[in-house]
Amino acid sequence: MKKTFIVFIALAICALSSCNPGKESIYKESRITMDTLVTITVSSSSDTVAKAAVDKAFREIDKLGKLLNFFAGDSEVTLINKSAGSMPVTVSKETLDVIERALHVADKTEGAFDISIGPVSSLWDFHTKTMPEEDALKEKLKLVSYKNVVIDRKNSTVFLKKKGMMIDLGGIAKGYAADRAAEVLKNSGIKSGIVAAAGDIRTFGTRPDGSAWNIGIKNPRQTGDDDEILAVIRLSDQAISTSGDYERYFIKNGIRYHHILDPKTGRPAYGCRSVSVITKEGVFTDAFSTGVFVLGPRRGMEILKKMGFDGIIVDSDGNILMTEGIKGKIEVKGNKP
Amino acid sequence: MRSKGTNHNTTFGDKVLLLLLVFLSVYSFIFIKEVMPEGSDIRIEAAGKLLYTLPIHINKTVEVNGPLGTTVVEIRDSRVRIKESPCNNKICVHEGWVRSGAIICLPNRVIVSITGKANKKHEDIDGITG
């Protein structure tokens, strides 16, 4: 009897001191990868399981970063660009997947999102405030057309038809990576979490208390610590991406030159300050946020409705436009930016 | 038959009381751990590795090495900043002193973040897009 009692006490202490093993808690880790800060947040009852899953997800993102990097000498994207006009390049399933989706978005946005903008975007340097010469811009614009990017799914090849063409997957790769990382987490037994590759966020499941994840949307005209967030939206099993004219830019003679270039002119698009797109997959929120930004608020909103996506657009005057689907899920803070 | 002298046998009531005390003491420990906020720390990571976890209230300057060279991180008066960085754009240095959130130097792969109770910035937000 005494022995049983002691064993019972010991078990009770063990059970209690393990801090309620069934309780879900948040595990969060940030790393610099794909030339940006990626934060993975998961809800799990075990720190060990969470850490192992997050580690695996980061490895997946690292792998994609190596394949899709525009600047790395040995990436598949660089290989495709180097072979432009001469021969198709055999690529991985992942690279082919991203390019295929990019061409789909290009088609749906009437070329407002175009991965073949590489030769033009290379002329701009927002850090050194370098603008392209008019002649050089005209010349390079001739190389920009997604219709000259040919993919052969059967042979897993990509071919750029014209010499000098360059694809840049910077406007879609992070969204795709967030999707892939979320799948890796799910396959590792994680039921809910967030993968945030800079501003490209993929959510799945809910917070430990069962509520949706709260995602803040940055104010495109932040003036201080108090007005960093424009709105907070509640998401579950959805992705969100934002493209804004405040991320990389310089101001010259009172004009804001920012990094979201219109593939038709090679110059910054001026209809919006920021565009956030919400749908199931990060690969589409990432690419469509750029495409809609370039199209401007009116045409952009039409495309969002046509695609069945949700979105918030801050136009060039600071007016906030949003699709019907997110009304009730979003809390706008303060006045218009 | 029980003796009337010193009795070492525990009664059912003693056992219940003991059990209750054990539960209470362990539960209090867990309750305090769960409810009370943690202290505030500065986490300094470079090239994917956590190099320092330092208390925010102790003034200290540390140097960490990234792929481009040495980044100098300074903690003073419960604030932190990147004092020097080998990167080109110096965005991290221009960010100045912060009391919450994080400072990130992408080129030199350095992350300085504030954890614990000092980091009240956007505590109800799980992620930020933009």
Side-chain angles (χ1 to χ4, degrees):
Chain A
M1 180 66 186
K2 244 184 194 171
K3 263 188 187 169
T4 317
F5 183 67
I6 290 167
V7 168
F8 180 73
I9 294 281
L11 282 174
I13 291 171
C14 282
L16 280 169
S17 60
S18 64
C19 288
N20 200 353
K23 191 184 164 191
E24 297 263 323
S25 61
I26 293 287
Y27 178 86
K28 197 172 189 172
E29 196 175 326
S30 297
R31 291 188 197 173
I32 294 171
T33 177
M34 288 187 95
D35 292 331
T36 193
L37 185 75
V38 179
T39 301
I40 299 180
T41 308
V42 297
S43 173
S44 173
S45 56
S46 158
D47 254 19
T48 317
V49 171
K51 196 171 177 357
V54 167
D55 212 46
K56 215 170 164 187
F58 272 119
R59 282 204 299 275
E60 179 71 12
I61 298 172
D62 286 343
K63 183 184 88 180
L64 293 170
K66 283 187 183 119
L67 292 174
L68 308 175
N69 193 330
F70 179 72
F71 300 101
D74 56 352
S75 73
E76 288 191 345
V77 165
T78 302
L79 204 59
I80 293 166
N81 291 340
K82 278 184 180 167
S83 309
S86 60
M87 60 176 178
V89 175
T90 305
V91 295
S92 61
K93 182 189 170 300
E94 289 87 346
T95 302
L96 203 69
D97 274 353
V98 180
I99 295 173
E100 193 172 49
R101 282 160 176 76
L103 297 181
H104 170 75
V105 179
D107 207 35
K108 295 291 177 191
T109 58
E110 299 148 9
F113 174 77
D114 192 333
I115 53 169
S116 69
I117 199 158
V120 166
S121 55
S122 299
L123 297 174
W124 291 82
D125 188 332
F126 297 93
H127 171 56
T128 58
K129 303 183 180 180
T130 305
M131 289 165 68
E133 299 286 336
E134 198 59 41
D135 290 348
L137 189 61
K138 262 188 193 167
E139 204 53 40
K140 296 290 183 187
L141 269 173
K142 291 177 190 164
L143 297 168
V144 179
S145 174
Y146 70 94
K147 289 177 180 164
N148 290 327
V149 180
V150 182
I151 58 170
D152 179 347
R153 187 153 267 288
K154 197 176 153 206
N155 295 309
S156 197
T157 62
V158 181
F159 176 52
L160 307 183
K161 280 184 181 173
K162 288 185 182 178
K163 194 168 174 58
M165 275 183 79
M166 283 194 278
I167 55 166
D168 181 353
L169 302 178
I172 191 167
K174 288 198 287 292
Y176 179 79
D179 287 339
R180 290 292 315 136
E183 288 312 308
V184 168
L185 292 169
K186 284 190 213 172
N187 292 338
S188 307
I190 302 294
K191 289 190 174 60
S192 60
I194 304 175
V195 180
D200 301 302
I201 299 179
R202 169 73 188 265
T203 69
F204 62 101
T206 61
R207 291 157 68 130
D209 64 4
S211 62
W213 298 101
N214 287 332
I215 307 299
I217 298 169
K218 260 195 186 167
N219 178 354
R221 293 293 179 270
Q222 181 188 356
T223 54
D225 262 4
D226 297 339
D227 65 348
E228 186 188 355
I229 302 297
L230 171 77
V232 177
I233 184 161
R234 290 178 292 280
L235 295 181
S236 179
D237 294 311
Q238 281 184 306
I240 183 168
S241 296
T242 300
S243 292
D245 66 359
Y246 52 90
E247 294 165 85
R248 273 184 287 146
Y249 72 96
F250 60 87
I251 291 175
K252 212 170 191 174
N253 302 324
I255 299 168
R256 177 184 288 253
Y257 295 94
H258 63 84
H259 77 294
I260 306 172
L261 305 174
D262 183 337
K264 290 185 175 64
T265 63
R267 298 182 172 283
Y270 284 113
C272 308
R273 290 181 183 177
S274 81
V275 171
S276 303
V277 174
I278 300 146
T279 189
K280 291 269 176 202
E281 291 173 83
V283 69
F284 291 128
T285 58
D286 193 0
F288 272 98
S289 64
T290 306
V292 167
F293 189 105
V294 170
L295 286 169
R298 192 186 58 80
R299 191 79 191 97
M301 203 51 104
E302 283 171 12
I303 294 285
L304 287 177
K305 282 178 190 164
K306 198 172 158 191
M307 294 302 300
F309 295 167
D310 275 318
I312 305 133
I313 298 175
V314 180
D315 72 13
S316 53
D317 295 323
N319 299 308
I320 302 170
L321 298 88
M322 60 180 91
T323 53
E324 285 298 319
I326 51 168
K327 288 175 184 168
K329 288 184 199 164
I330 191 165
E331 182 197 343
V332 179
K333 294 178 177 283
N335 299 320
K336 74 176 192 179
Chain B
M1 176 107 184
R2 292 183 179 181
S3 69
K4 285 192 174 180
T6 314
N7 187 358
H8 293 287
N9 290 335
T10 47
T11 66
F12 178 73
D14 292 336
K15 285 177 184 174
V16 170
L17 187 64
L18 183 61
L19 198 62
L20 193 69
L21 286 172
V22 169
F23 266 92
L24 268 178
S25 58
V26 178
Y27 186 76
S28 318
F29 171 74
I30 293 164
F31 181 77
I32 288 165
K33 199 179 164 202
E34 293 275 307
V35 172
M36 295 297 282
E38 292 169 35
S40 297
D41 292 323
I42 308 286
R43 284 167 55 96
I44 304 170
E45 296 169 50
K49 284 183 185 151
L50 175 64
L51 301 178
Y52 294 98
T53 303
L54 302 165
I56 196 168
H57 60 275
I58 294 174
N59 294 349
K60 195 172 174 71
T61 300
V62 294
E63 294 183 355
V64 292
N65 292 319
L68 299 180
T70 304
T71 296
V72 181
V73 181
E74 185 181 11
I75 304 166
R76 195 181 348 133
D77 303 331
S78 297
R79 302 171 303 166
V80 66
R81 68 167 173 170
I82 290 184
K83 192 180 176 185
E84 290 169 32
S85 171
C87 63
N88 277 332
N89 51 32
K90 306 270 190 277
I91 293 170
C92 55
V93 176
H94 294 146
E95 201 145 328
W97 293 101
V98 299
R99 290 181 188 276
S100 60
I103 310 172
I104 295 134
C105 177
L106 286 176
N108 205 30
R109 295 167 62 82
V110 173
I111 306 175
V112 178
S113 54
I114 301 173
T115 62
K117 66 181 175 183
N119 194 20
K120 290 283 182 194
K121 196 178 179 186
H122 309 314
E123 60 183 346
D124 55 336
I125 292 176
D126 302 302
I128 296 176
T129 177

